[in-house]
Amino acid sequence: MAIAVKLDDLLHDRRMTLTDLADRIGITLANLSILKTGKARAIRFSTLDAICEALACQPGDILRFEPEQADCEQN
Amino acid sequence: MPTKSSPVLPIAHVVLRILIVMNWLYGAAIAILLVALPTRKWIMSALSLSPSPEADRLILGMRAIAVIGIATVPLHYAIFKRLLAIVETVRGGDPFVATNAQRLKIIAWTLLALQLLSLVVAAIARTVSTPEHPLDLDAGFSISGWLAVLLTFLLARVFAEGTYMREDLEGVV
C-alpha cells in the first residue's frame, strides 16, 4: 500500500514504546502493532485522534503517501 | 468475541442430531415398506381394493411417491448436516464465515428441490386418486415452504455480505 505508517519514528522521537502508547490510548498492543507494521486496512478517526493527542503530533506526521515503484514507473 | 449464553444453540444441536437419526429411520422405513413387505395382494387387501386398472394405478402411484420419499432422505440430511455445522460455528462465536454463506445457499437450493418434489407428489396423488380411494397427502404448493426457500436464499446473501463486512472490519484499527 502506498500509505506508510510512521509510528516507529514518532515513538523513537518521543522515547516511548508501543506498549506505553497502547496503554495511553486504550488500544490493544496487537492492534497497534498491526497499524505500526502497515498491515491495517484502515484507521478509525478515533484511533488517529488518540494517537495524535498522545504523541502531540498531526495526522500527517503519522501517515505518509509513498508511491510504490510500479506506480512511479507507470506515471 | 463475547457471546451471550443462550439455550437455543444447545437445543438446536440436540434437535438436529435427533432429526438426522429420525430422517435415516424414516428412509429405512419407507425402503422396507417399498421393497420387503407389501406385495400387490397385501396392499389390495389392506386398502380393501378390488382388482381393477384404477387399483393398479393407485398402487403404482403410491410406490412412485414412496420412491420420491426415499429420494428426499439425502436431501433432508444435506440440510440437517449443514444446519448443524452452522450451529457449531455460532457456538464457536464465528458464524460470519464464507462457508456458512455457501452452506445456506446449498440449503436454499435443497429446500427448493423439496418444494418441487412436493408438487410432483401432489400431482401423482391427484392423478391416481379415485372417488372410492382418495389419496390425501400433505403435499403440494405451500406458501410457508416457498417463503422458507426465499428467506434462506436471502439469509445466504446476508451471511455473504456479513462475511465481507467482517473481513473488512478485521483490518480496521
Side-chain angles (χ1 to χ4, degrees), chain B residues 1-172:
Chain B
M1 190 189 290
T3 50
K4 285 180 188 169
S5 66
S6 157
V8 174
L9 296 176
I11 291 171
H13 180 88
V14 172
V15 168
L16 284 167
R17 287 248 175 238
I18 292 169
L19 284 173
I20 286 173
V21 174
M22 281 175 67
N23 181 49
W24 288 121
L25 290 176
Y26 157 84
I30 298 177
I32 289 167
L33 272 173
L34 191 67
V35 178
L37 285 177
T39 58
R40 187 173 169 276
K41 202 174 157 187
W42 186 88
I43 297 171
M44 298 277 276
S45 69
L47 299 177
S48 313
L49 293 171
S50 49
S52 65
E54 285 79 21
D56 287 341
R57 215 173 55 184
L58 183 65
I59 292 168
L60 193 68
M62 285 169 68
R63 287 209 158 120
I65 289 168
V67 169
I68 293 172
I70 290 175
T72 64
V73 172
L75 295 178
H76 283 123
Y77 177 68
I79 292 174
F80 298 146
K81 193 180 75 172
R82 283 175 178 85
L83 272 178
L84 199 60
I86 291 171
V87 167
E88 287 309 309
T89 60
V90 179
R91 289 176 96 180
D94 193 17
F96 285 108
V97 289
T99 40
N100 274 354
Q102 190 59 27
R103 281 174 185 139
L104 280 165
K105 206 170 165 185
I106 293 170
I107 288 173
W109 281 112
T110 314
L111 285 173
L112 180 68
L114 286 170
Q115 286 305 312
L116 292 173
L117 282 175
S118 182
L119 292 178
V120 173
V121 166
I124 293 171
R126 224 178 10 253
T127 310
V128 301
S129 278
T130 59
E132 298 81 35
H133 296 284
L135 200 53
D136 291 322
L137 295 172
D138 185 23
F141 180 79
S142 149
I143 288 178
S144 56
W146 284 95
L147 197 62
V149 172
L150 188 67
L151 280 175
T152 316
F153 271 118
L154 278 173
L155 202 59
R157 194 71 214 130
V158 167
F159 264 71
E161 286 293 323
T163 303
Y164 171 75
M165 284 170 73
R166 206 205 63 164
E167 279 173 2
D168 208 39
L169 202 64
E170 265 183 352
V172 178

Side-chain angles (χ1 to χ4, degrees), chain A residues 31 34 40-44 47, chain B residues 164 167-173:
Chain A
N31 271 346
I34 287 171
R41 281 199 205 169
I43 180 167
R44 290 190 180 91
T47 307
Chain B
Y164 171 75
E167 279 173 2
D168 208 39
L169 202 64
E170 265 183 352
V172 178
V173 174

Side-chain angles (χ1 to χ4, degrees), chain A residues 9-73:
Chain A
D9 302 342
L10 277 168
L11 287 170
H12 184 261
D13 291 347
R14 307 294 192 273
R15 302 277 185 271
M16 199 187 281
T17 65
L18 202 63
T19 313
D20 294 335
L21 183 62
D23 288 343
R24 279 200 197 186
I25 64 176
I27 287 175
T28 64
L29 185 61
N31 271 346
L32 211 52
S33 184
I34 287 171
L35 182 66
K36 193 190 79 154
T37 51
K39 287 175 187 161
R41 281 199 205 169
I43 180 167
R44 290 190 180 91
F45 278 131
S46 58
T47 307
L48 199 55
D49 180 74
I51 294 174
C52 286
E53 197 172 333
L55 299 179
C57 64
Q58 292 297 314
D61 298 330
I62 303 166
L63 305 174
R64 293 272 170 75
F65 177 68
E66 292 178 355
E68 286 164 16
Q69 202 67 33
D71 294 340
C72 292
E73 282 168 11

